[in-house]
């Protein structure tokens, strides 16, 4: 926060200084000469530097040249930045670059430059960022670069560098980031690097380094990432001293030819990621408990012996434990998943090809936990459960973990781009698309929980709101790097304005928000200004604008990377007994899975100031309005009345609960607002209203029997989800026909979880549900008599209310009518064999068998004693067979049949031809055929 505010003011000051720009000074002639030489030795097939000819470099906006905004003591203007990222340049970087003596940023990333890195760069003592990655530079690293006492970041990764790392780099006293991965650098890691007081990331993977791992590195006071994978430290051991790194978060030494044993790393307080796989490590795995932050323990392909440390079961953030291909023995520790919540976590335990012969508990793992045991004696013994599928899952081939591809946005015409901002929500907007890569993250699975943290980190760093970021095209590159497109979405309008684009671009290009140790360093692969943002100097971006683009860059140089992690570490130290990491993230990452926080003004605007003409209903919670958001999305806004207002904390807890419920038969919560003492919930808008209205006597249209069966099935599935799949389970408490809404395709969706409370877990006694005692709430007519009398709420109370709903669907009547209750009436008619006479005549012709089946199911649900009622899953099964047999009796048209049987499929496109809006006569569409 502090740094961003500082940044803002520096930005302003710079902008003001710009106005004082002295008109008659010119660029230092030796720099002009240097730029000419640079241009001469580059090959520029796309003509990107074609304007490097005329006029003065600092005054005629040459592409990528950024100058100080006022002249120096010597009366000249000086080049401050050379920004030539991804311009399809080849050729060499001329040694004259060393004449740009006041340069702070030299950026030629992602071109195809060849030749050597000019040693003359070592003269530019003001240089802060030297970004040469993604070229084909050859030769060795010039020791002269060691003179760059102000250098913060040196990126030479993905080139063809050979030779060794110069010991002179031990003089880079300001350096934080040394990225040399993917070259052919050889020789030893010089001990001199251990003198670097600020070094945070030492990334040397995929080279040809040899020798021993210097013990002295352990002294680096600021090192958070040490990544040396795929080198040849043949026969070297991991120094015992590596257990004393003070700040380390990630230690990755995969495939390094290491021998000896694993040092005790339990004292490294923030260690999250450990990869020592594909070495020749021997001995046992140290027993002492690693940091609570551990996400990844990857020790596969070694010669480890002994058993799995007990302490691994206590690591509450662990995502991967991979011990495959070792000589480990003992028991498979079921404590790793037994009695643990995996709501926000995924865990993979890979123990293949070891000597595990038994287990301490249950091998049936919860959802989100996968276990691989193939190649262990346990798979041959009888102790494994004899369920074939289970055996296959655990002892069979490793499954390809399928990345669940989300459905793309539909091709609705849009002048910009349809961007998926959250599951099920697409916006037509002009996003800024940034090709971005996490170079060395400290997590293994990018779970929704971590993704939320990440989105919060990015948006906070960019001073945007969380919902202004969507992540597209995630590609996991060998589990080593994570590439993605960040789509930044303008707020409340289709396009960012120029100054916002410039501000955002500047923050990326200057690495002024680089430091989060958990997510690691990022790589900027491309920040294209194209389409609606085609703003290159070629198309007339003025000097002023270019100057503004980089105004913030100065900050980069002086930037202290304040990181989320550091903040949290400090917080945690202060309150270590109060705040666990998870709770901390929970509190700051309130906005869960696609639920947006709206301001009062936004919702007021959407409803024309809560105009009475936009009011569409009224519930126990308060009035319901139809709103139209600026992007034309229609929403239903429930505005809490003063009497229904909860405390802010309760309200947010409610949102937290609701945001986790996703099912096609539940109305989706899109957002909320808790501004200025008002509490509002924003739901998807359901154009076809509620089922009660469809059944009312004066409705113009009505639903056929098959449609009613589908409505019943749909809503039953929604309730079943609440009871069994929602985690924790939810009892609705207010099931009624006016809480079942129909979308534009007449799919039923259950609404209003306002009264929901967490359902109790099932008790110890078999079949005896536990209960929650609470004040009786609900709607008369639907209330479970047992609940009413004992105030003990169970899922069976919902079953009862749902039975009443079924009776209403069947008869069209209200629960209470003419002094009697619908249940009584139907029960009596059923006993007298006259139930058909009560069926709603508006349904048209329908099978008497089906009507009877439905009536019987409804009455079963309405049994007085809860234990006599069916469970929701039984109800769903029965309704499915009613829908199924509707097809078998061929009473309805082919299309109706399709509708009926496809209800359970997740694709809704099937229904498109059948879109029915109020006004069309459903009876004639469905039952006349
Ligand atoms: C910047 O360059 C563009 C085209 O390259 C030109 O039209 C514009 O006048 C230049 N601006 C200044 C201030 O020289
Ligand atoms: C670089 O080259 C590619 C392929 O020829 C082209 O699509 C792209 O627009 C070029 N980029 C620039 C900045 O010249
Ligand atoms: C650089 O290395 C890449 C891949 O190793 C290779 O394809 C390319 O030819 C090399 N370039 C030069 C100039 O040596
Ligand atoms: C680096 O080298 C490794 C091993 O050759 C390769 O898998 C990886 O794709 C390369 N590039 C990056 C960016 O890691
Ligand atoms: C790596 O170094 C070894 C000797 O240390 C050498 O034999 C090998 O050719 C080098 N590999 C590459 C790709 O340069
Ligand atoms: C491990 O050691 C064995 C013999 O001790 C050797 O054959 C093998 O190549 C080594 N593996 C690695 C990855 O260094």
């Amino acid at each position: 926060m502090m740094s961003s505010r500082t940044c803002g003011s520096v930005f302003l000051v710079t902008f003001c200084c710009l106005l004082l720009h002295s008109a008659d000074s010119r660029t230092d002639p030796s720099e002009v000469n240097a730029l000419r030489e640079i241009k001469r030795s580059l090959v520029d097939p796309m003509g990107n530097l074609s304007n490097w000819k005329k006029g003065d470099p600092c005054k005629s906006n040459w592409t990528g040249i950024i100058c100080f905004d006022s002249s120096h003591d010597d009366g000249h203007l000086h080049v401050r930045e050379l920004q030539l990222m991804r311009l399809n340049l080849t050729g060499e970087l001329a040694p004259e670059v060393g004449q740009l003596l006041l340069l702070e940023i030299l950026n030629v990333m992602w071109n195809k430059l060849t030749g050597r890195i000019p040693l003359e760069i070592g003269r530019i003592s003001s240089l802060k960022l030297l970004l040469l990655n993604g070229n084909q530079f050859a030769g060795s690293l010039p020791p002269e670069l060691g003179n760059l006492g102000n250098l913060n970041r040196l990126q030479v990764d993905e080139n063809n560098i050979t030779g060794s790392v110069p010991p002179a780099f031990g003089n880079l006293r300001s350096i934080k980031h040394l990225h040399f991965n993917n070259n052919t650098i050889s020789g030893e890691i010089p001990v001199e690097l251990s003198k670097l007081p600020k070094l945070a990331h030492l990334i040397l993977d995929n080279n040809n380094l040899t020798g021993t791992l210097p013990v002295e590195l352990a002294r680096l006071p600021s090192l958070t990432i040490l990544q040396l994978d795929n080198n040849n430290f043949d026969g070297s051991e991991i120094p015992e001293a590596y257990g004393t790194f003070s700040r380390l978060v990630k230690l990755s030494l995969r495939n390094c030819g290491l021998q000896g044993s694993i040092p005790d790393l339990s004292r490294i307080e923030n260690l999250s990621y450990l990869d020592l796989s594909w070495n020749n490590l021997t001995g046992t795995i140290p027993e002492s408990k690693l940091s609570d932050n551990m996400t990844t323990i990857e020790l596969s392909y070694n010669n480890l012996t002994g058993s799995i440390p007990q302490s691994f079961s206590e690591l509450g953030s662990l995502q991967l434990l991979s011990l495959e291909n070792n000589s480990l023995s003992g028991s498979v520790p079921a404590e790793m998943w037994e009695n643990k919540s995996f709501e926000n976590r995924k865990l993979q335990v890979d123990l293949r090809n070891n000597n595990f012969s038994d287990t301490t508990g249950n091998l049936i793992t919860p959802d989100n936990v996968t276990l691989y045991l193939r190649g262990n004696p346990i798979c041959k013994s009888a102790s494994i459960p004899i369920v074939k599928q289970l055996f296959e899952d655990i002892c069979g081939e490793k499954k390809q973990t399928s990345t669940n591809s989300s459905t793309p946005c539909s091709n609705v015409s849009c002048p910009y781009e349809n961007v998926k901002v959250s599951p099920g929500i697409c916006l037509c907007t002009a996003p800024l698309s940034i090709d971005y890569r996490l170079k060395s993250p400290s997590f293994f699975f990018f779970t929704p929980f971590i993704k939320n943290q990440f989105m919060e980190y990015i948006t906070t760093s960019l001073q945007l709101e969380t919902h202004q970021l969507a992540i597209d095209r995630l590609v996991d590159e060998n589990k080593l790097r994570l590439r993605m497109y960040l789509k930044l979405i303008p707020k409340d309008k289709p396009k960012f304005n120029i100054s916002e684009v410039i501000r955002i671009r500047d923050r990326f290009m200057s690495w002024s928000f680089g430091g989060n140790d958990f997510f690691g360093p990022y790589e900027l692969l491309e920040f294209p200004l194209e389409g609606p943002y085609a703003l290159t100097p070629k198309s007339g971006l003025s000097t002023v604008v270019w100057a503004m683009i980089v105004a913030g860059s100065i900050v980069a140089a002086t930037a202290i990377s304040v990181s989320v992690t550091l903040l949290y570490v400090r917080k945690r130290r202060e309150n270590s007994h109060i705040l666990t990491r998870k709770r901390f993230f929970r509190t700051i990452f309130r906005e869960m899975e696609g639920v947006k926080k709206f301001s009062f003004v936004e919702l007021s605007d959407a409803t024309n100031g809560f105009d009475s003409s936009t009011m569409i209903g009224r519930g126990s919670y308060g009035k319901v309005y139809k709103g139209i958001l600026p992007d034309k999305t229609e929403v239903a806004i429930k505005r809490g009345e003063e009497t229904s207002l909860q405390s802010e904390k309760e309200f947010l807890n409610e949102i937290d609960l609701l945001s986790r419920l996703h099912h096609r038969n539940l109305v989706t919560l899109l957002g909320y607002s808790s501004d200025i003492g008002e509490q509002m919930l924003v739901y998807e808008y359901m154009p076809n209203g509620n089922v009660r209205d469809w059944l009312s006597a004066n409705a113009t249209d009505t639903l056929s029997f098959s449609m009613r069966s589908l409505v019943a099935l749909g809503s039953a599935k929604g309730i079943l989800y609440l009871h069994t799949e929602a985690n924790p389970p939810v009892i609705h408490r207010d099931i009624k026909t006016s809480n079942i809404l129909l979308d534009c395709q007449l799919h039923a969706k259950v609404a209003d979880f306002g009264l929901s409370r967490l359902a109790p877990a099932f008790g110890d006694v078999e079949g005896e549900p536990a209960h929650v005692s609470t004040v009786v709430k609900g709607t008369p007519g639907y209330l479970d008599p047992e609940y009413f009398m004992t105030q003990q709420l169970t899922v069976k109370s919902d079953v009862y209310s749902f039975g009443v709903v079924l009776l209403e669907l069947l008869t069209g009547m209200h629960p209470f009518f003419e002094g009697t209750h619908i249940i009584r009436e139907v029960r009596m008619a059923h006993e007298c064999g006259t139930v058909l006479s009560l069926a709603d005549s508006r349904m048209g012709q329908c099978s008497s068998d089906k009507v009877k089946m439905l009536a019987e199911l409804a009455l079963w649900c309405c049994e007085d004693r809860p234990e006599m009622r069916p469970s929701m899953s039984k109800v769903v099964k029965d309704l499915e067979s009613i829908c199924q047999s509707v097809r078998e009796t061929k009473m309805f048209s082919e299309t109706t049949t399709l509708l009926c049987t496809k209800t359970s499929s997740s694709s809704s496109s099937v229904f498109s031809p059948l879109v029915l809006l109020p006004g069309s006569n459903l009876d004639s569409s469905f039952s006349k055929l």
Side-chain angles (χ1 to χ4, degrees):
M1 292 299 157
M2 284 276 284
S3 76
S4 50
R5 226 168 274 150
T6 321
C7 174
S9 48
V10 172
F11 180 84
L12 275 179
V13 170
T14 317
F15 185 66
C16 296
C17 295
L18 206 68
L19 304 175
L20 306 174
H21 192 304
S22 75
D24 40 338
S25 46
R26 319 207 121 258
T27 307
D28 182 322
S30 77
E31 296 189 17
V32 179
N33 174 55
L35 292 171
R36 295 225 157 90
E37 291 305 321
I38 290 170
K39 165 113 196 264
R40 203 193 310 273
S41 76
L42 290 174
V43 180
D44 174 23
M46 312 298 288
N48 283 314
L49 306 183
S50 56
N51 61 6
W52 281 33
K53 267 187 252 155
K54 287 181 284 226
D56 183 87
C58 287
K59 297 175 84 179
S60 322
N61 63 26
W62 286 17
T63 297
I65 308 278
I66 291 125
C67 300
F68 288 92
D69 16 85
S70 59
S71 50
H72 204 244
D73 298 346
D74 60 10
H76 290 304
L77 292 169
H78 293 273
V79 179
R80 195 178 68 207
E81 301 180 17
L82 199 51
Q83 296 275 9
L84 303 177
M85 165 178 166
R86 209 177 273 282
L87 292 176
N88 292 330
L89 303 172
T90 58
E92 302 192 8
L93 189 56
E96 285 81 0
V97 69
Q99 291 169 23
L100 302 173
L101 279 176
L102 296 178
L103 201 64
E104 292 179 355
I105 301 182
L106 173 53
N107 173 357
V108 295
M109 304 188 294
W110 314 117
N111 286 290
K112 289 208 179 87
L113 301 184
T114 52
R116 306 175 71 92
I117 298 174
L119 58 88
E120 290 78 3
I121 293 176
R123 295 171 52 199
I124 314 175
S125 58
S126 54
L127 203 59
K128 286 162 184 156
L129 307 183
L130 178 52
L131 311 172
L132 308 173
N133 50 300
N135 283 289
Q136 293 184 5
F137 285 114
S140 54
L141 293 165
E144 288 79 0
L145 299 185
N147 297 333
L148 299 172
N150 289 306
L151 199 63
N152 169 287
R153 184 176 278 268
L154 175 53
Q155 294 185 177
V156 193
D157 39 306
E158 299 190 56
N159 276 289
N160 295 29
I161 302 293
T162 53
S164 55
V165 178
F169 282 12
N171 299 326
L172 293 168
R173 60 179 184 275
S174 302
I175 200 84
K176 285 188 170 176
H177 304 277
L178 286 177
H179 298 178
F180 298 158
N181 57 282
N182 291 68
N183 282 287
T184 321
I185 299 173
S186 55
E188 301 197 17
I189 298 176
V191 284
E192 285 79 1
L193 293 190
S194 62
K195 294 192 301 189
L196 298 171
K198 295 185 177 165
L199 188 64
H201 300 162
L202 180 57
I203 300 185
L204 300 173
D205 58 274
N206 295 298
N207 276 293
N208 202 6
L209 293 168
T210 52
T212 57
L213 295 177
V215 185
E216 294 84 352
L217 288 186
R219 281 195 230 131
L220 281 167
S222 310
L223 195 69
T224 57
I225 298 179
L226 178 59
Q227 174 141 13
L228 306 176
D229 313 3
N230 299 323
N231 282 292
N232 301 313
F233 305 104
D234 275 331
S236 172
E237 298 197 358
I238 306 172
E240 200 54 46
Y242 280 16
T244 64
F245 273 112
S246 55
R247 300 274 305 279
L248 206 66
V249 171
K250 177 165 182 168
L251 178 61
S252 196
L253 305 174
R254 186 189 187 88
N255 189 28
C256 283
L258 299 172
Q259 284 181 4
S261 55
I262 301 176
D264 177 3
L265 303 173
S266 63
R267 282 164 294 168
I268 310 179
E269 195 179 356
N270 294 316
L271 191 67
S272 300
Y273 193 107
L274 175 65
D275 186 346
L276 304 177
S277 60
W278 297 89
N279 285 295
N280 262 347
L281 299 176
T282 51
T284 59
I285 305 172
E287 280 290 335
S288 31
K289 184 169 174 288
L290 294 170
S291 156
D292 278 327
N293 295 354
M294 289 309 294
T295 63
T296 308
I297 301 178
E298 163 59 286
L299 303 174
S300 60
Y301 292 88
N302 280 295
N303 293 321
L304 299 171
T305 51
S307 56
I308 299 178
Q310 200 76 47
S311 63
F312 282 6
S313 302
E314 294 161 36
L315 301 175
S317 305
L318 198 64
Q319 299 186 322
L320 178 76
L321 174 61
S322 178
L323 301 174
E324 117 185 63
N325 286 69
N326 277 290
S327 304
L328 294 159
S329 56
S331 306
V332 176
E335 297 79 18
M336 292 193 73
W337 49 85
E338 279 178 343
N339 305 320
K340 295 218 155 64
S341 162
F342 290 89
E343 190 187 328
N344 286 325
R345 174 152 81 103
K346 226 167 131 170
L347 173 65
Q348 180 173 316
V349 179
D350 190 342
L351 307 179
R352 286 174 299 162
N353 302 321
N354 279 288
N355 289 318
F356 293 104
S357 53
D358 61 12
T359 170
T360 59
N362 199 337
L363 292 181
I364 303 176
T365 55
D367 288 351
N368 277 347
V369 179
T370 41
L371 172 66
Y372 300 106
L373 287 178
R374 189 189 173 89
N376 281 285
I378 190 173
C379 282
K380 299 204 182 73
S381 75
S383 56
I384 202 114
I386 317 291
V387 182
K388 186 162 179 295
Q389 184 55 48
L390 190 65
F391 184 82
E392 278 300 306
D393 285 351
I394 297 174
C395 290
E397 292 292 343
K398 190 167 169 178
K399 292 181 295 283
Q400 285 300 324
T401 39
S402 60
T403 43
N404 39 352
S405 53
S406 59
T407 45
C409 290
S410 63
N411 263 339
V412 179
S413 84
C414 162
Y416 304 111
E417 189 181 328
N418 283 309
V419 179
K420 185 155 202 160
V421 289
S422 68
I425 305 177
C426 293
L427 277 185
C428 175
T429 181
L432 273 176
S433 299
I434 297 141
D435 192 354
Y436 179 97
R437 182 158 66 183
L438 290 178
K439 193 181 252 181
S440 188
S442 284
F443 52 82
F444 188 75
F445 290 118
F446 197 51
T447 59
F449 184 72
I450 290 181
K451 186 172 166 187
N452 276 329
Q453 295 174 20
F454 175 70
M455 291 178 70
E456 186 73 27
Y457 156 62
I458 295 287
T459 49
T460 311
S461 305
L462 292 174
Q463 294 166 284
L464 298 173
E465 293 180 19
T466 321
H467 60 267
Q468 288 186 267
L469 171 64
I471 296 181
D472 198 18
R473 281 184 275 172
L474 271 177
V475 184
D476 176 346
E477 295 178 344
N478 310 329
K479 285 280 169 211
L480 185 67
R481 320 203 195 274
L482 187 70
R483 182 167 180 179
M484 61 185 92
Y485 281 80
L486 303 179
K487 299 220 164 195
L488 302 177
I489 296 155
K491 181 168 147 61
D492 302 338
K493 58 187 173 201
K495 245 185 95 169
F496 283 109
N497 61 34
I498 288 191
S499 63
E500 287 170 312
V501 173
I502 288 164
R503 185 183 68 80
I504 292 168
R505 189 176 143 111
D506 168 58
R507 288 193 80 83
F508 277 101
M509 301 277 267
S510 61
W511 271 267
S512 50
F513 71 100
N516 178 298
D517 298 326
F518 186 64
F519 297 117
Y522 70 81
E523 290 177 89
L524 185 62
L525 298 174
E526 193 157 21
F527 191 120
L529 289 181
E530 54 189 24
Y533 300 115
L535 291 170
T536 61
K538 271 190 280 184
S539 63
L541 192 69
S542 74
T543 326
V544 174
V545 169
W546 268 100
M548 282 171 67
I549 284 191
V550 295
S553 303
I554 332 158
V555 182
T558 51
I560 338 128
S561 347
V562 174
S563 78
V564 173
T565 306
L566 294 189
L567 274 176
Y568 117 70
V569 167
R570 193 160 310 137
K571 263 224 156 69
R572 205 175 68 131
R573 284 202 182 122
E574 282 160 16
N575 312 311
S576 56
H577 56 294
I578 308 169
L579 271 179
T580 67
R581 172 201 188 99
K582 270 195 178 152
R583 265 197 239 133
F584 178 71
F585 277 121
R586 257 200 127 100
T587 23
I588 61 171
F589 298 106
R590 265 289 165 200
E591 288 177 44
M592 310 283 285
E593 303 197 8
V595 175
K596 173 178 173 177
K597 182 173 166 54
F598 289 89
S599 68
F600 178 83
V601 175
E602 280 173 287
L603 297 184
S604 170
D605 286 349
T607 52
N608 217 344
F610 298 102
D611 191 276
S612 56
S613 66
T614 62
M615 194 174 127
I616 50 174
R618 188 182 190 111
S620 54
Y621 186 73
K623 293 175 180 162
V624 187
Y625 296 84
K626 177 180 176 181
I628 301 177
L629 300 180
D631 63 3
K632 304 273 176 287
T633 317
E634 295 180 318
V635 293
I637 300 172
K638 294 197 177 189
R639 189 179 185 193
E641 264 161 12
E642 252 167 59
T643 51
S644 59
L645 292 191
Q646 299 157 296
S647 73
E648 174 88 355
K649 189 170 155 248
E650 262 180 289
F651 183 69
L652 290 177
N653 278 341
E654 195 83 19
I655 307 291
D656 191 19
L657 167 69
L658 297 184
S659 66
R660 281 184 264 138
L661 303 175
H662 296 289
H663 188 270
R664 64 192 302 260
N665 296 112
L666 296 181
V667 176
T668 308
L669 179 73
L670 302 178
Y672 68 97
S673 168
S674 59
D675 264 2
I676 59 167
E678 286 255 3
Q679 292 175 349
M680 290 184 271
L681 296 167
V682 182
Y683 287 95
E684 63 176 321
Y685 175 66
M686 302 290 284
N688 281 319
N690 70 55
V691 170
R692 185 62 255 165
D693 291 343
W694 281 86
L695 297 177
S696 80
N698 45 14
T700 46
D701 289 304
T702 192
L703 303 166
S704 68
F705 179 75
S706 69
M707 288 306 298
R708 293 184 194 205
S709 311
L710 286 171
V711 166
L713 178 58
S715 33
K717 283 180 175 170
I719 301 166
L720 175 63
Y721 169 87
L722 291 176
H723 287 182
T724 59
E725 289 191 64
N727 188 3
V730 166
I731 301 178
H732 187 294
R733 301 223 283 182
D734 201 15
I735 306 280
K736 52 184 176 182
T737 40
S738 54
N739 271 340
I740 296 172
L741 307 183
L742 300 180
D743 70 10
C744 61
Q745 297 166 336
L746 294 174
H747 295 146
K749 296 194 180 203
V750 178
D752 203 345
F753 314 100
L755 297 175
S756 293
R757 287 297 175 271
L758 305 189
F762 281 82
D764 289 341
V765 186
E766 185 79 50
E768 246 331 284
H771 60 265
V772 263
S773 292
T774 161
V775 184
V776 173
K777 287 183 183 167
T779 304
Y782 296 86
L783 261 188
D784 172 10
E786 178 81 11
Y787 166 41
F788 188 72
M789 276 153 55
T790 63
Q791 303 191 8
Q792 295 187 340
L793 184 67
T794 70
V795 288
K796 292 293 178 73
S797 309
D798 282 349
V799 175
Y800 183 92
S801 312
F802 186 70
V804 179
V805 167
L806 290 180
L807 293 175
E808 283 185 84
L809 284 167
L810 193 65
T811 63
M813 297 173 201
H814 276 280
F816 282 119
F817 68 108
E818 294 170 8
T820 176
H821 192 274
I822 192 172
I823 300 178
R824 217 181 107 128
E825 286 304 300
V826 178
R827 191 168 281 150
M828 278 168 62
H830 182 251
E831 278 160 21
C832 303
T834 58
V835 75
L836 286 177
S837 67
L838 286 179
D840 191 346
S841 59
R842 291 172 297 176
M843 293 190 292
Q845 184 200 12
C846 45
S847 147
S848 52
D849 285 350
K850 303 320 141 211
V851 170
K852 278 188 198 145
M853 277 167 76
L854 197 61
E856 276 161 16
L857 178 60
L859 291 173
W860 187 13
C861 292
C862 294
E863 284 284 353
D864 281 345
R865 289 173 53 205
E867 65 273 23
M868 302 290 285
R869 298 172 203 152
S871 66
M872 270 331 280
S873 63
K874 175 65 180 149
V875 174
V876 167
K877 274 206 195 88
D878 282 12
L879 287 170
E880 257 161 356
S881 80
I882 290 173
C883 286
Q884 183 70 23
S885 42
V886 165
R887 186 189 60 161
E888 278 159 16
T889 57
K890 298 231 181 299
M891 268 186 55
F892 298 93
S893 71
E894 284 301 306
T895 41
T896 317
T897 316
L898 178 70
L899 201 62
C900 201
T901 52
K902 286 287 180 176
T903 307
S904 56
S905 105
S906 60
S907 154
S908 61
S909 58
V910 157
F911 299 99
S912 310
L914 284 171
V915 173
L916 292 167
L917 298 166
S920 62
N921 189 326
L922 289 165
D923 260 343
S924 60
S925 355
F926 285 110
S927 40
K928 277 189 187 158
L929 294 152

